Amino acid sequence: VLGLLAAGGTLSMPLVDQEVKALRIALFQPGISGEHPVAALLMTNDTGTSLPPGILTVYDSGTGYVGDAQLLGMPPGEERMVSFAADRKVRVGTTSRPDRLVSEVKVSKGTLHARVASVARTTYRIEGAQDGPRTVLIEHPKRGGWEFSSDALKSETATSYRLEIRVEAGATETVEAVETYPREEVFSVTDMTAGMFTSWASEARDPETAEKLRALATARAAVSEAEDRINDTERDLQGLQDEQSRVRQNLLAVPSDSPLRTRYLETLTRQEDDIVAALDRRERQERELRAARARFEDTLEEL
């Protein structure tokens, strides 16, 4: 113990001669630690008295001196983590995959209500050290409003979830962290496309909901196809009527005994036949559209 004392002064120094519970860990903090964790001690002050602030010198029974750490004052019963060096013998890889799940779909008064959840899956792949086992502690950051789950969840702080895993020498382990953000999405049924229903079917959590959404996609696609056929017929009709008007104007400009007049009259006759056929086709397509819309409405009622 070394202290600085002025002439004539008095100095009191706290001395604690007790064992303190400490676990050596490899601490990994995503976005901070890079790909290597930090060697640290997870200390628990079970001495019954406060530990003063100071410098900790850490030794390993096998390798000797491994580093120094700064310790702030530590009240009795408190758990504290102190880091002292980078553990470059351990490597942690991180991969993230966003997802979305549809759990429930209901329709009421032309409005579709869907219970969905954004899902973020993070996988940590830990390559252990060759010189011995490690207890790896991953501090996965918290996100407000998101639900969290992991088989490796050990504890949590105000800002992170602590995932703990034992990695034997030279072994590789993986840990998955799943974050879920549930919410409700509301859509007007008339604004929804077959593609939207198909996308939701691929994200549905249970097979029954997925099957109902696929049925809606099929029914909605049939409505869209029927509408497209009517639009095509309407364009054909408009083109025939425009051409018929042009021929009628030309007919007024030619003499009554002109061979061209005869040709114009024949053209008008063919155009009239084409117009009648197009009108019949549109009437049939309108019936098909009404039937497709009825099937779509029936499928909606089944949700």
Side-chain angles (χ1 to χ4, degrees):
V1 178
L2 178 65
L4 178 64
L5 183 64
T10 302
L11 177 67
S12 296
M13 303 257 333
L15 297 176
V16 179
D17 184 15
Q18 286 185 269
E19 290 187 358
V20 178
K21 181 180 178 181
L23 173 67
R24 183 176 175 180
I25 61 171
L27 175 65
F28 182 75
Q29 297 172 303
I32 299 176
S33 302
E35 62 177 5
H36 298 290
V38 174
L41 291 178
L42 183 60
M43 298 178 58
T44 303
N45 183 7
D46 54 1
T47 65
T49 186
S50 294
L51 297 179
I55 300 297
L56 294 179
T57 300
V58 184
Y59 293 89
D60 184 271
S61 59
T63 60
Y65 173 79
V66 292
D68 293 323
Q70 177 75 40
L71 177 67
L72 301 178
M74 193 172 177
E78 183 171 302
E79 185 178 77
R80 183 79 56 80
M81 190 160 342
V82 291
S83 57
F84 52 86
D87 192 343
R88 299 191 177 279
K89 296 179 181 180
V90 179
R91 188 185 305 272
V92 182
T94 305
T95 56
S96 298
R97 179 169 61 88
D99 202 353
R100 199 175 83 127
L101 294 176
V102 179
S103 59
E104 184 181 10
V105 178
K106 292 183 178 179
V107 175
S108 176
K109 298 180 180 179
T111 302
L112 186 142
H113 301 261
R115 293 186 63 82
V116 301
S118 294
V119 181
R121 302 180 187 276
T122 303
T123 301
Y124 297 99
R125 187 176 185 272
I126 307 161
E127 299 176 11
Q130 297 295 328
D131 62 349
R134 295 287 193 276
T135 296
V136 178
L137 195 66
I138 298 171
E139 288 193 336
H140 185 91
K142 288 183 175 180
R143 290 201 284 180
W146 290 69
E147 300 171 359
F148 181 85
S149 65
S150 175
D151 292 340
L153 180 62
K154 181 69 173 181
S155 61
E156 61 182 272
T157 68
T159 59
S160 64
Y161 298 100
R162 286 178 172 172
L163 314 181
E164 184 178 307
I165 187 167
R166 178 76 169 177
V167 184
E168 299 300 328
T172 298
E173 302 286 349
T174 58
V175 175
E176 185 176 63
V178 180
E179 297 167 284
T180 306
Y181 187 82
R183 65 187 185 279
E184 182 177 276
E185 293 185 359
V186 181
F187 297 91
S188 172
V189 171
T190 56
D191 295 335
M192 298 184 65
T193 65
M196 294 175 67
F197 289 119
T198 299
S199 176
W200 281 11
S202 67
E203 298 164 349
R205 182 173 298 177
D206 65 278
E208 183 179 356
T209 300
E211 183 59 34
K212 289 179 179 179
L213 289 168
R214 281 193 290 268
L216 275 174
T218 300
R220 185 66 181 88
V223 172
S224 297
E225 290 167 3
E227 290 171 340
D228 289 343
R229 287 193 293 270
I230 289 177
N231 290 334
D232 290 342
T233 300
E234 289 287 355
R235 283 192 292 272
D236 291 344
L237 267 172
Q238 187 62 53
L240 287 168
Q241 290 167 349
D242 291 345
E243 182 62 17
Q244 190 180 58
S245 295
R246 185 188 69 81
V247 173
R248 289 184 186 278
Q249 291 294 325
N250 290 341
L251 186 61
L252 295 175
V254 299
S256 58
D257 57 351
S258 169
L260 187 57
R261 177 182 177 84
T262 302
R263 200 170 91 184
Y264 281 151
L265 289 173
E266 292 172 350
T267 299
L268 285 174
T269 300
R270 287 195 303 271
Q271 289 174 338
E272 192 62 29
D273 290 341
D274 291 341
I275 289 173
V276 170
L279 290 172
D280 290 342
R281 185 167 69 252
R282 185 180 65 181
E283 184 178 352
R284 183 182 69 254
Q285 290 168 344
E286 287 174 345
R287 290 196 300 270
E288 293 171 350
L289 175 59
R290 288 193 293 271
R293 285 174 174 169
R295 286 193 296 273
F296 180 63
E297 294 293 334
D298 291 342
T299 307
L300 282 173
E301 293 297 325
E302 295 175 3
L303 286 176

